[in-house]
Amino acid sequence: MDPLIQSVLQPDRWPLFVLLTARIGGLMLTAPLWSMSGWPRAGRAAFTVVLAMMLLPLAPAGRVPEEVLELPVPVAMELLIGSLIGLAAAVIVQGVALAGEIISIQMGLSFGALLAPMPELAMGGVGPLQSMLALLLYTTIGGHLVLVRGLAESLVTLPPGAPIDLAAGLAPILALLATLFITGLRAAAPIVIALFLTQIALAVLSRAVPQINAMVLSFPITIGVGFLMLYLALPFLSMAIAGWLGDLPASITRTLEPLRPAAMGR
């Protein structure tokens, strides 16, 4: 029998295998690409089990519950750790998507939903475009593999079943939320500033020439300026996203390190 399968079948390794599966499952819930709804559930479950089997021989022995009734709390903690690892990348991808929604509002594209002949259909704006750009760069530089590597390294930082310091871990969780909005503002800032200046110019023009219907004129101008600025900003936005994703390993470390109790050393 294969040694890998044999190690999983040992009864004393079953609780550790369950904890590993929970940590990987948390990653699958939040990580970009791995959490996409297009993935079949059976495929994600199979990947989770196979990855847990591969990491089981490498996992250090932590405090593994001896009774089944003691498993729920450690499993919940492992789900939290895996989710935080996935969120380290998700906040970047979703932050860029948030920037696209901000740009859509400033361009006036969100007004199209009010005029749609079929209101039940979702109206896409710049958000899906920027989200797909971030996801493309994320997969191109191997961000999904960086998360798997970060999960494997987290087994040393936080062994499965080991206690975690939730009070100290609140700060990196809030930092991830802040990263979401900071990323969105940075990605949207150049285009939003250009649109803001365009609106000021239209306001001055409407005061100088009252006969001009600024309300009607503003829609094609702001949409045109928005798409022009988006075209000009895409290369710089791509480099910025690649730089943010390149900092992903350090971001995972910063997120998980405060969760270690002081007794384990930091």
Side-chain angles (χ1 to χ4, degrees):
M1 183 180 296
D2 188 273
L4 182 62
I5 300 178
Q6 188 176 3
S7 65
V8 176
L9 294 180
Q10 294 178 2
D12 59 329
R13 305 288 283 178
W14 291 351
L16 182 59
F17 179 74
V18 172
L19 295 178
L20 277 175
T21 304
R23 184 175 297 196
I24 299 171
L27 177 71
M28 293 292 171
L29 289 175
T30 59
L33 187 67
W34 300 118
S35 61
M36 291 179 64
S37 57
W39 269 76
R41 292 183 180 179
R44 275 189 282 187
F47 179 81
T48 300
V49 172
V50 171
L51 185 58
M53 292 174 60
M54 295 176 63
L55 294 178
L56 185 60
L58 306 177
R63 182 187 176 278
V64 179
E66 298 179 357
E67 301 293 337
V68 176
L69 295 178
E70 298 177 358
L71 272 175
V73 174
V75 166
M77 295 299 101
E78 294 301 317
L79 277 171
L80 174 63
I81 294 172
S83 299
L84 289 177
I85 295 174
L87 284 174
V91 292
I92 298 175
V93 175
Q94 294 302 322
V96 176
L98 176 64
E101 295 300 328
I102 296 173
I103 294 170
S104 296
I105 294 173
Q106 295 299 317
M107 290 174 61
L109 295 179
S110 58
F111 187 70
L114 301 176
L115 305 177
M118 300 179 67
E120 65 275 6
L121 294 180
M123 300 294 293
V126 181
L129 172 64
Q130 295 204 164
S131 178
M132 292 303 297
L133 172 65
L135 191 60
L136 177 63
L137 292 172
Y138 167 76
T139 53
T140 300
I141 68 174
H144 55 302
L145 301 179
V146 172
L147 290 185
V148 175
R149 188 181 305 115
L151 186 140
E153 293 174 352
S154 73
L155 300 179
V156 178
T157 306
L158 293 170
I164 62 176
D165 191 349
L166 288 178
L170 184 62
I173 295 175
L174 295 177
L176 286 176
L177 294 176
T179 302
L180 172 67
F181 294 103
I182 292 173
T183 302
L185 290 175
R186 287 179 176 177
I191 302 174
V192 169
I193 291 174
L195 292 173
F196 178 69
L197 295 177
T198 302
Q199 294 288 351
I200 292 178
L202 288 172
V204 173
L205 181 63
S206 66
R207 295 290 293 179
V209 186
Q211 295 82 2
I212 295 179
N213 191 338
M215 183 66 180
V216 176
L217 190 64
S218 65
F219 279 104
I221 292 180
T222 54
I223 292 175
V225 171
F227 278 119
L228 176 62
M229 289 301 301
L230 181 62
Y231 171 76
L232 296 176
L234 274 180
F236 303 99
L237 179 60
S238 300
M239 290 187 291
I241 296 173
W244 297 334
L245 292 173
D247 190 51
L248 195 53
S251 177
I252 295 174
T253 302
R254 289 193 301 267
T255 302
L256 296 183
E257 191 66 27
L259 294 175
R260 299 184 67 185
M264 296 178 60
R266 293 181 180 173

